[in-house]
């Protein structure tokens, strides 16, 4: 069982959704509390929104169809069902990366898009302290990515026209791990 930390909406992720969202059948894989489904349903009631996670959490809008599945197993949904698939901060938690990515590819309609994110280890803060994301305490991560390794993993299952941008820096959680509050 993986630990998933729910964070508020990311402006970066929202901007990618605004730019690359296609079609009206949208699947959020590893949806957590469904923050992006909430956001999308409030903006466009015509979208057909679906979410998958290990357990359903209260508060999803009625416009979202929720599936409870173990993402370490094949996802029992029909091939080429979704125009857009979200995979935000979930791929690095899955043991069998290739099987999971193949499932995401299988679920995308021809011409569909995958919009996702993974943590990356290139940022300006950590190297100054001789640290990388490998020093993080999140033991649920099965692997770490560079732009090249992510591109290779995605293309190996059939994704094409892959656009990878290294965004953001160290999250406040990581910053706090390196600079714990002093106990008095």
């Amino acid at each position: 069982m993986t630990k998933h930390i729910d964070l508020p909406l990311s402006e970066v992720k929202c901007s990618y959704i605004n730019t690359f969202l296609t079609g009206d059948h949208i699947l959020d894989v590893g949806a957590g509390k469904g923050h992006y489904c909430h956001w999308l349903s409030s903006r466009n009631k015509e979208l057909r929104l679906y979410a998958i996670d290990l357990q359903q959490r209260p508060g999803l809008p009625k416009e979202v169809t929720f599936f409870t599945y173990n993402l370490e197993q094949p996802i029992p949904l029909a091939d080429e069902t979704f125009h857009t698939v979200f995979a935000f901060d979930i791929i690095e938690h899955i043991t069998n990366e290739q099987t999971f990515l193949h499932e995401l590819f299988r679920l995308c309609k021809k011409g569909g898009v995958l919009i996702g994110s993974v943590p990356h280890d290139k940022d300006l803060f950590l190297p100054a302290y001789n640290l990388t994301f490998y020093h993080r305490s999140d033991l649920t991560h099965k692997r770490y990515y560079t732009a090249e390794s992510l591109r290779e993993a995605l293309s190996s299952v059939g994704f094409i026209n892959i656009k990878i941008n290294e965004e953001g820096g160290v999250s406040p959680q990581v910053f706090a791990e390196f600079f714990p509050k002093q106990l008095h």
Side-chain angles (χ1 to χ4, degrees), residues 114-154:
L114 171 67
I115 303 173
S117 61
V118 296
H120 65 84
D121 61 359
K122 287 185 179 180
D123 78 59
L124 302 175
F125 172 93
L126 293 173
Y129 291 89
N130 200 28
L131 299 171
T132 68
F133 267 118
Y134 296 99
H135 292 88
R136 290 191 60 186
S137 63
D138 189 343
L139 301 177
T140 66
H141 287 185
K142 308 296 185 204
R143 74 198 61 76
Y144 294 87
Y145 291 94
T146 63
E148 297 79 26
S149 68
L150 183 58
R151 182 180 313 284
E152 184 178 310
L154 292 168

Side-chain angles (χ1 to χ4, degrees), residues 24-84:
D24 62 355
H25 282 69
I26 314 302
L27 175 65
D28 188 353
V29 179
K33 291 183 179 176
H35 294 299
Y36 294 96
C37 289
H38 276 284
W39 180 69
L40 282 171
S41 73
S42 70
R43 296 170 52 94
N44 185 344
K45 297 293 183 193
E46 301 302 313
L47 294 176
R48 308 245 349 240
L49 299 168
Y50 302 84
I52 297 175
D53 211 320
L54 195 56
Q55 62 185 15
Q56 185 169 357
R57 302 193 185 167
L60 278 173
K62 64 179 173 21
E63 296 86 8
V64 177
T65 302
F66 190 90
F67 301 103
T68 303
Y69 295 136
N70 177 351
L71 295 174
E72 295 284 355
Q73 303 296 320
I75 300 170
L77 297 173
D79 294 357
E80 298 185 27
T81 302
F82 302 99
H83 296 105
T84 301

